[in-house]
Amino acid sequence: MNEVMARLRQFRDDRDWKQFHNPKDLSMALSIEAAELLELFLWKSPEQADVNKIKEELADVIAYALLLADNYDLDVEKIVLDKIALNEKKYPVSKAKGKATKYTEL
């Protein structure tokens, strides 16, 4: 992950784009890229979506999420593991296994 972050920062900094990478705009860009990812599935079955285009859009989503985390000096591994731990409490296997029910309705 260190190499990925170094490359993202270098790409951004070489173009003097850090000035545009405030949390609001990074969040907006993340949302827009996520919508572009969704668009690849619109009116198609999951199998009909172009995997190469999915890879490109997913990379954009991940890149903006990582840049947003970097902006706040967040440890991505830690925050994801913390969220998994929280979700394990909200969705215990004994209640949630095989169900797509929100935790408040389990």
Side-chain angles (χ1 to χ4, degrees):
M1 192 56 76
N2 289 335
E3 180 183 352
V4 170
M5 286 308 307
R7 295 281 309 271
L8 280 171
R9 289 183 196 112
Q10 186 68 50
F11 181 86
R12 175 199 64 201
D13 295 347
D14 285 350
R15 289 154 182 80
D16 192 26
W17 286 352
K18 189 171 184 180
Q19 62 183 316
F20 307 117
H21 284 192
N22 61 73
K24 175 193 69 78
D25 289 319
L26 287 169
S27 295
M28 291 173 68
L30 175 59
S31 179
I32 290 165
E33 293 300 338
E36 290 178 9
L37 177 61
L38 280 173
E39 187 178 27
L40 298 175
F41 294 95
L42 185 62
W43 315 124
K44 300 173 185 164
S45 69
E47 298 76 28
Q48 291 173 312
D50 183 329
V51 176
N52 288 320
K53 290 180 182 177
I54 291 169
K55 287 192 296 188
E56 287 184 28
E57 296 304 337
L58 186 56
D60 288 339
V61 169
I62 293 167
Y64 281 121
L66 289 173
L67 287 167
L68 181 59
D70 188 57
N71 191 278
Y72 286 108
D73 198 28
L74 300 174
D75 180 333
V76 173
E77 182 178 2
K78 181 180 181 339
I79 65 173
V80 171
L81 291 174
D82 287 349
K83 182 62 176 181
I84 292 168
L86 178 63
N87 284 341
E88 286 173 335
K89 292 176 184 171
K90 289 165 61 174
Y91 295 94
V93 173
S94 62
K95 292 182 179 181
K97 189 170 185 173
K99 299 177 183 172
T101 308
K102 188 171 179 173
Y103 70 96
T104 55
E105 299 175 12
L106 287 174

